[in-house]
Amino acid sequence: MSHFYITTPIYYVNDKPHLGTAYSTITADVLARYHRLFGDKTKFLTGVDEHGQKVQQAAAKRGIDPQKHCDELAEVFKAAWLKLNISCDQFFRTTDAFHKTAVQNVLQKLWDAGDIYADTYEGWYCVSEEIFYTEKDLVNGKTPTGKDVEKVTEKNYFFKMSKYQKALIEHIEKNPKFICPENRRNEVLGFLRQPLTDLCISRPKARLSWGIEIPFDHDYVTYVWFDALLNYATAVGIAQSGREKEYEEWWQNSGQTHHLIGKDILITHCVYWPTMLMAFGAALPKTIFAHGWVLNRDNEKMSKSKGSVMAPDDMVAFVGVDPLRYYLVKEIHLGNDGPVSHELIAGRINNDLANNLGNLLSRTTNLIDKFFGGQAPDVSKVALDEKTRSLIDRAVSTANQVKSRIEDFEPSLALEAVVQLLNETNKFLEEKAPWKTVKTHLVAAGADLYCALEVLRIAGGLLWPVMPEKMTALLETIGCPYKAGVETWPSLSKWGVIAAGTKVQKAQPLFPRIDIEKSDA
Ligand code: MSP
């Protein structure tokens, strides 16, 4: 059994979840659910990033203790993800005691090995990005993305990141799929053409107290990114006594760690993180996949400062959880930017789910109800014609197409393969017109409807990771109570699984058409 370990960024608790953070989380959830379906031993990690100046300021603004602020916001994130059907195996909090100890153990090891040293730092700090800049990095006195910076001069501790530059470049060059998509890989290689500076990994407590104390200097706390990046590995036991086996299994030996991130945090993940791991002597992740932006209807990145952030709850109220998940994963090709608006969501859902899938389901189950007493027709004595054989071939090969697309981080194309199968099946029914032939050739019409039923079973199983509630309902309607995982997966590339006589219910509309006029778009 192979492993699959997928992570999302851990989100700052200076803000509530929005459609951008929901996008990362839903995408990782869909990938995790597919891998569980394939039978992989899967772990899906998400969580919150609770230290640093940004969070300290957010708590101060509310006039409350940072820990209390974090406790409250962690619950807000958990509740939001629950509503979106997020099936994480672990919700990570960087204020958890085990994480603090592990971060200190890593720091101590790097200090003892001489990979961390003290020096005086002079430069510019951007609080909103929690990143240091040198004078030459600034554009008109601001960060390259236009954020404010403040001048800082102080003694600090530095990680010898520069020492690992060559090894990192070699690793990226030898492993073309380490950083995906390719344009992001090129961006990182471009960044690495300049000599790397060492990384400042401490903050004096006098300036920032909200962080993990540096084990070898009690006047300092750990730089928030050093602490946050380590979550991926502390979650599976790095630098913790008693968890060695888990660490060996999930981090050092599986070779199946995949980080899904937004393109804004490419350098921290593709430069800071692998060099930290190299210094510790830990394995590197297999993939760092940077996705694009969810854009608002003016094609801009949703941004708090512009007030253009959409709340996941509003979209859920508009279309429902599963259709929202479907839209985000199907419509935004992973790696690209993609817009979200009420009109776009309604159009996609009406077309793919209400018309294509919904019609196939209601036609098929209505006819079976009316002419076959609500039971799956018996096809044992029917000879298959060419059209039927070709539909069957297509249907039983879809699962493998879906699997390879998912393994290549192309969930939108995986869904496209299922949509194509549904299109073909609707066409098949149009041509065969069992609603007409049922009056003269009952058995042949039954065979055509049985084909549609089997396609619905396969499509329902294959779409289940994206729309778990809706597909569970669909499969129950056609008499296939669904259990995701190893037992189900082989049946998705088999034909003739539904036994003759299985109870088929008349379907309730699963995806009512969305009337855009009635929305506030
Ligand atoms: N705390 C750091 C990450 C540390 S990971 C070790 C952080 N947090 S964040 O709250 O700012 O979240 C950033 C992530 O949210 C992005 O990388 C991206 O995954 C997601 N998104 C935020 N806005 C987004 C969009 N508009 N569109 C898509 N994803 C976006 O950075």
Side-chain angles (χ1 to χ4, degrees):
M1 191 191 268
S2 59
H3 286 66
F4 182 74
Y5 179 29
I6 179 105
T7 67
T8 71
I10 47 172
Y11 306 109
Y12 287 127
V13 289
N14 65 336
D15 187 28
K16 295 193 295 281
H18 55 77
L19 216 54
T21 45
Y23 174 65
S24 298
T25 319
I26 288 173
T27 305
D29 183 65
V30 166
L31 295 171
R33 284 178 185 263
Y34 270 114
H35 280 271
R36 288 191 200 113
L37 177 66
F38 304 155
D40 293 339
K41 194 169 179 189
T42 301
K43 192 185 278 287
F44 166 25
L45 179 77
T46 188
V48 281
D49 188 352
E50 305 182 275
H51 292 125
Q53 205 152 325
K54 240 165 128 101
V55 173
Q56 182 172 287
Q57 281 176 353
K61 210 166 147 195
R62 293 178 65 204
I64 64 170
D65 169 61
Q67 186 64 57
K68 187 163 187 287
H69 169 83
C70 290
D71 291 347
E72 286 177 14
L73 265 289
E75 291 309 313
V76 171
F77 272 87
K78 276 189 201 165
W81 298 159
L82 202 65
K83 271 197 188 161
L84 293 174
N85 278 336
I86 301 302
S87 63
C88 58
D89 298 293
Q90 193 178 341
F91 184 88
F92 199 93
R93 297 191 54 185
T94 54
T95 51
D96 277 344
F98 79 90
H99 172 72
K100 290 187 193 171
T101 311
V103 169
Q104 289 178 328
N105 291 344
V106 171
L107 285 165
Q108 189 67 50
K109 180 168 167 182
L110 267 49
W111 172 250
D112 293 343
D115 267 349
I116 290 178
Y117 60 91
D119 202 356
T120 300
Y121 179 81
E122 238 194 68
W124 299 89
Y125 191 62
C126 170
V127 175
S128 82
E129 294 173 8
E130 301 271 20
I131 288 201
F132 275 112
Y133 287 93
T134 59
E135 189 78 46
K136 69 172 170 36
D137 296 328
L138 301 185
V139 180
N140 301 327
K142 298 200 177 225
T143 72
T145 55
K147 302 267 167 56
D148 290 334
V149 288
E150 54 191 57
K151 181 106 195 232
V152 175
T153 308
E154 61 197 18
K155 175 191 151 187
N156 263 312
Y157 291 92
F158 291 81
F159 163 53
K160 282 189 188 163
M161 192 157 74
S162 55
K163 181 173 154 189
Y164 298 96
Q165 176 164 14
K166 197 161 158 269
L168 176 60
I169 295 172
E170 275 170 21
H171 185 83
I172 298 172
E173 281 172 348
K174 264 202 213 127
N175 297 278
K177 296 276 174 196
F178 176 53
I179 300 168
C180 294
E182 204 183 345
N183 57 344
R184 300 293 158 221
R185 176 175 183 260
N186 293 336
E187 200 176 316
V188 175
L189 283 171
F191 179 86
L192 288 168
R193 258 177 237 125
Q194 304 293 325
L196 265 187
T197 48
D198 289 340
L199 183 66
C200 178
I201 50 100
S202 66
R203 299 290 179 268
K205 277 190 187 165
R207 187 158 68 77
L208 171 72
S209 56
W210 187 235
I212 300 177
E213 192 174 278
I214 298 274
F216 41 84
D217 190 334
H218 301 316
D219 293 332
Y220 286 81
V221 295
T222 311
Y223 170 42
V224 65
W225 270 104
F226 194 93
D227 151 8
L229 286 162
L230 271 165
N231 93 89
Y232 302 131
T234 64
V236 292
I238 197 174
Q240 290 153 75
S241 62
R243 295 185 74 186
E244 293 80 3
K245 259 178 112 176
E246 190 185 347
Y247 171 60
E248 288 301 312
E249 178 186 350
W250 281 99
W251 195 271
Q252 290 296 73
N253 294 337
S254 86
Q256 286 296 335
T257 300
H258 307 272
H259 300 312
L260 182 69
I261 61 169
K263 62 183 178 181
D264 52 335
I265 50 179
L266 189 69
I267 299 303
T268 48
H269 280 80
C270 300
V271 178
Y272 298 7
W273 180 224
T275 54
M276 286 163 62
L277 289 167
M278 284 175 179
F280 189 80
L284 301 193
K286 175 148 187 204
T287 323
I288 303 169
F289 195 107
H291 66 65
W293 296 143
V294 173
L295 306 173
N296 61 26
R297 62 174 153 187
D298 302 319
N299 267 339
E300 291 166 341
K301 182 188 176 205
M302 282 178 199
S303 117
K304 270 173 272 168
S305 49
K306 287 192 190 127
S308 61
V309 165
M310 286 185 195
D313 279 358
D314 294 346
M315 277 299 168
V316 168
F318 177 53
V319 280
V321 176
D322 281 359
L324 173 64
R325 291 166 58 100
Y326 178 85
Y327 176 85
L328 292 174
V329 177
K330 170 75 173 33
E331 202 61 14
I332 308 178
H333 183 73
L334 198 60
N336 295 351
D337 294 346
V340 176
S341 71
H342 291 79
E343 292 92 333
L344 289 168
I345 296 197
R348 175 54 58 211
I349 300 305
N350 287 344
N351 189 59
D352 289 9
L353 302 182
N355 292 351
N356 195 2
L357 176 57
N359 274 350
L360 182 63
L361 177 67
S362 58
R363 265 174 172 180
T364 308
T365 59
N366 282 344
L367 289 169
I368 292 179
D369 181 68
K370 192 160 170 200
F371 296 103
F372 296 87
Q375 293 186 348
D378 183 354
V379 293
S380 55
K381 298 200 180 70
V382 185
L384 302 179
D385 62 12
E386 194 47 46
K387 276 195 185 122
T388 307
R389 244 184 253 121
S390 115
L391 181 67
I392 295 176
D393 286 348
R394 178 161 199 145
V396 295
S397 63
T398 306
N400 275 337
Q401 288 174 34
V402 167
K403 186 166 192 264
S404 66
R405 295 302 198 183
I406 292 295
E407 286 172 346
D408 289 344
F409 287 82
E410 295 180 320
S412 60
L413 298 182
L415 298 191
E416 186 55 31
V418 184
V419 168
Q420 291 300 336
L421 171 65
L422 294 167
N423 277 334
E424 284 299 312
T425 312
N426 273 318
K427 248 192 248 154
F428 170 88
L429 284 190
E430 289 296 334
E431 285 170 20
K432 296 271 194 167
W435 41 89
K436 284 189 198 148
T437 60
V438 75
K439 288 159 198 149
T440 49
H441 298 83
L442 184 71
V443 176
D448 298 337
L449 292 171
Y450 182 81
C451 282
L453 213 52
E454 277 286 285
V455 166
L456 284 164
R457 173 185 64 79
I458 291 173
L462 292 176
L463 292 176
W464 186 88
V466 186
M467 298 186 283
E469 282 178 29
K470 293 285 184 186
M471 293 306 103
T472 300
L474 178 148
L475 289 158
E476 271 171 18
T477 300
I478 60 166
C480 295
Y482 190 68
K483 283 193 213 77
V486 263
E487 302 143 54
T488 326
W489 175 245
S491 75
L492 299 181
S493 42
K494 282 198 190 110
W495 191 257
V497 170
I498 299 179
T502 301
K503 175 105 196 81
V504 174
Q505 297 162 41
K506 212 168 144 177
Q508 301 303 315
L510 266 191
F511 301 103
R513 278 188 71 80
I514 302 163
D515 188 351
I516 190 68
E517 299 302 322
K518 289 197 188 130
S519 86
D520 57 357

